[in-house]
Amino acid sequence: MFDIWRKIQSMAYNLLKGKKGIIFGALDENSIAWRTALKCYEEGAQLVLTNAPVALRMGEINKLAEAVKAPVIGADVTNMDDLKKLFEESMKHFGGGIDFVLHSIGMSLNMRKGKSYTELDYEWNKKTLDISAMSLHRLLRTAWDLDALNEGASVIALTYIAAQRVFPDYNEMADAKALLESVTRSFGYNYGLKKKVRVNTVSQSPTRTTAGSGVKGFDGFITYAEKMSPLGNATGDQCADYCVTLFSDLTKMVTMQNLFHDGGFSSTGVTAEVINQMEK
């Protein structure tokens, strides 16, 4: 990993030079949050890494922390006291406010337990929505109350097109992503008025992450999306590049948007490759 990082460091544009950000959700080298942290560091940013305490025990985040020279501060995103501590300690570490935040958080208890969409356990569903969607509201609310984000800061949450279209095996996470995107618009409006803070979601291609691989039929998702996307599926590293542009000063007027980063999948009705496959 470190050899690869050194090779691509020379390609950096210093888009985030002097900026300071918090990355939520880096679990291992396959996670988009992990790749984004590396890219942000390459572009000159200072970072704080955070995840739930249980995820910190399961993952390898200390390797990432060493690579990007960042402290790791555990936080349960459903706990306002944890989030308050996270932002306060981050501002103390940075010696000031925060310029960008990546929300890469999602968990479905019903999917983990094998429950179909038509037989959801509603108590588990509440936890799914709280962890996967309302956590964005909580972290934005915490930053708002503490005045933690600098003028013109940028917040990105990762989402998926199942928020707009039916993907049966994506289950209750589709509802969670739809709520996540709604929070983005509503809080983005208020934060834009207050401090010109930008809040957007990035709707990424299906990507082979540890979390994504837990979705039933995930290999089929990836194969189908590849055949349906004129540019093919976007990789985790390409998503990280896109996030860097949204954190940078080059996109100061982009907010409250759901931005598709999917090789054209979201605008394609059908492709010749899919038709040919079906006619065989």
Side-chain angles (χ1 to χ4, degrees):
M1 181 187 72
F2 298 109
D3 288 340
I4 295 173
W5 172 77
R6 280 193 289 268
K7 287 179 182 178
I8 62 178
Q9 187 182 26
S10 61
M11 299 169 59
Y13 302 97
N14 286 322
L15 289 177
L16 303 181
K17 186 176 181 179
K19 292 190 179 295
K20 302 169 177 65
I22 302 176
I23 303 291
F24 284 78
L27 182 65
D28 56 35
E29 291 184 0
N30 294 320
S31 67
I32 293 174
W34 186 294
R35 312 311 302 175
T36 302
L38 288 174
K39 293 287 185 179
C40 290
Y41 181 69
E42 291 160 15
E43 292 296 336
Q46 297 178 48
L47 300 172
V48 165
L49 305 176
T50 186
N51 212 327
V54 64
L56 296 183
R57 292 192 295 271
M58 291 169 52
E60 302 176 337
I61 198 169
N62 288 332
K63 293 181 182 178
L64 177 62
E66 182 181 353
V68 301
K69 298 178 172 60
V72 178
I73 303 173
D76 177 351
V77 292
T78 66
N79 186 303
M80 294 296 284
D81 289 336
D82 273 18
L83 288 171
K84 184 173 184 286
K85 180 183 176 183
L86 168 65
F87 276 97
E88 287 176 340
E89 291 190 6
S90 297
M91 287 189 288
K92 182 178 180 180
H93 172 72
F94 292 139
I98 295 154
D99 299 298
F100 64 88
V101 177
L102 176 69
H103 176 286
S104 180
I105 302 165
M107 186 188 73
S108 168
L109 291 174
N110 278 286
M111 289 173 68
R112 282 188 177 184
K113 301 293 186 178
K115 292 280 190 180
S116 72
Y117 188 76
T118 56
E119 59 174 10
L120 293 181
D121 180 300
Y122 296 114
E123 291 304 312
W124 291 346
N125 181 248
K126 289 177 184 177
K127 292 180 180 179
T128 295
L129 297 177
D130 199 14
I131 293 168
S132 304
M134 290 309 294
S135 58
L136 178 62
H137 194 289
R138 289 174 183 274
L139 78 83
L140 288 169
R141 165 72 183 278
T142 303
W144 176 284
D145 289 346
L146 295 174
D147 197 23
L149 298 184
N150 289 329
E151 186 90 5
S154 176
V155 179
I156 298 171
L158 299 182
T159 187
Y160 185 56
I161 196 173
Q164 290 85 35
R165 301 183 188 177
V166 175
F167 289 78
D169 292 325
Y170 206 65
N171 206 307
E172 64 178 347
M173 280 302 296
D175 297 344
K177 293 301 187 184
L179 177 56
L180 182 77
E181 292 173 19
S182 180
V183 170
T184 296
R185 291 186 294 271
S186 297
F187 225 122
Y189 169 80
N190 287 283
Y191 233 145
L193 290 176
K194 183 178 183 179
K195 293 191 74 172
K196 299 190 183 303
V197 169
R198 297 163 278 156
V199 187
N200 296 288
T201 50
V202 170
S203 187
Q204 166 70 359
S205 297
T207 309
R208 292 190 185 278
T209 63
T210 301
S213 298
V215 177
K216 181 182 176 183
F218 189 72
D219 287 343
F221 271 26
I222 288 185
T223 301
Y224 175 70
E226 184 74 30
K227 293 180 183 296
M228 280 286 290
S229 306
L231 299 181
N233 289 332
T235 67
D237 280 326
Q238 289 169 331
C239 185
D241 285 336
Y242 191 41
C243 288
V244 165
T245 68
L246 293 170
F247 291 147
S248 79
D249 291 339
L250 299 179
T251 50
K252 279 186 170 291
M253 298 303 289
V254 180
T255 194
M256 300 163 60
Q257 302 299 305
N258 180 44
L259 303 164
F260 289 101
H261 185 258
D262 60 5
F265 177 90
S266 52
S267 294
T268 304
V270 71
T271 61
E273 187 174 4
V274 170
I275 292 173
N276 292 337
Q277 185 71 33
M278 294 178 68
E279 290 181 340
K280 286 181 180 180

